[in-house]
Amino acid sequence: MTSTLPPCPKCQSEYVYQDQDMLICPECANEWNPNEAAVDEDALVLKDANGTLLSEGDKVTLIKDLKVKGSSSVLKIGTKATIKRFVDGDHDIDCKVDGAGDMMLKSQFVKKA
């Protein structure tokens, strides 16, 4: 007997079973509703200092003077940057800062421009 249920989206197990409206994977204990749009739980969702959602490619502005680690220079308040990507960790934004080049920043020190 061939199963017509889709494999588990997390572990790709074929041993998925249905319980009412939900599908359940016995190998990784993932439960999902096949009628709802899949949400990527691993995707980073970052907000700026004002609580506005940030996305890759956004232009942001510094809200505070920041010392550049390993250098005597300072990034001044109002300096603009463009978000390249989000990363896990303390400094969660990889961006290109105007006049300073590529740099990692914390989302709590920027606001969406």
Side-chain angles (χ1 to χ4, degrees):
M1 180 169 120
T2 308
S3 174
T4 59
L5 298 174
C8 174
K10 278 195 174 181
C11 70
Q12 301 303 317
S13 171
E14 60 187 37
Y15 302 111
V16 173
Y17 64 92
Q18 187 168 1
D19 184 14
Q20 295 178 0
D21 291 339
M22 302 294 286
L23 294 179
I24 301 170
C25 175
E27 292 185 8
C28 70
N30 183 29
E31 297 181 15
W32 74 99
N33 186 340
N35 300 325
E36 293 178 1
V39 176
D40 187 4
E41 295 174 3
D42 297 332
L44 291 175
V45 177
L46 295 180
K47 296 182 179 181
D48 68 2
N50 297 330
T52 306
L53 281 175
L54 296 173
S55 59
E56 294 176 3
D58 281 348
K59 302 228 185 278
V60 294
T61 305
L62 296 180
I63 62 164
K64 176 182 175 179
D65 288 348
L66 299 174
K67 293 180 184 178
V68 178
K69 192 173 186 176
S71 172
S72 62
S73 63
V74 175
L75 297 175
K76 295 290 187 183
I77 188 171
T79 303
K80 297 186 187 288
T82 304
I83 299 174
K84 293 194 313 188
R85 64 186 178 111
F86 297 138
V87 294
D88 269 336
D90 188 31
H91 292 74
D92 47 13
I93 300 175
D94 185 10
C95 60
K96 179 162 178 47
V97 179
D98 292 354
D102 293 337
M103 205 165 284
M104 301 290 286
L105 296 174
K106 293 182 180 183
S107 57
Q108 67 194 30
F109 297 126
V110 299
K111 69 177 182 177
K112 196 169 185 176

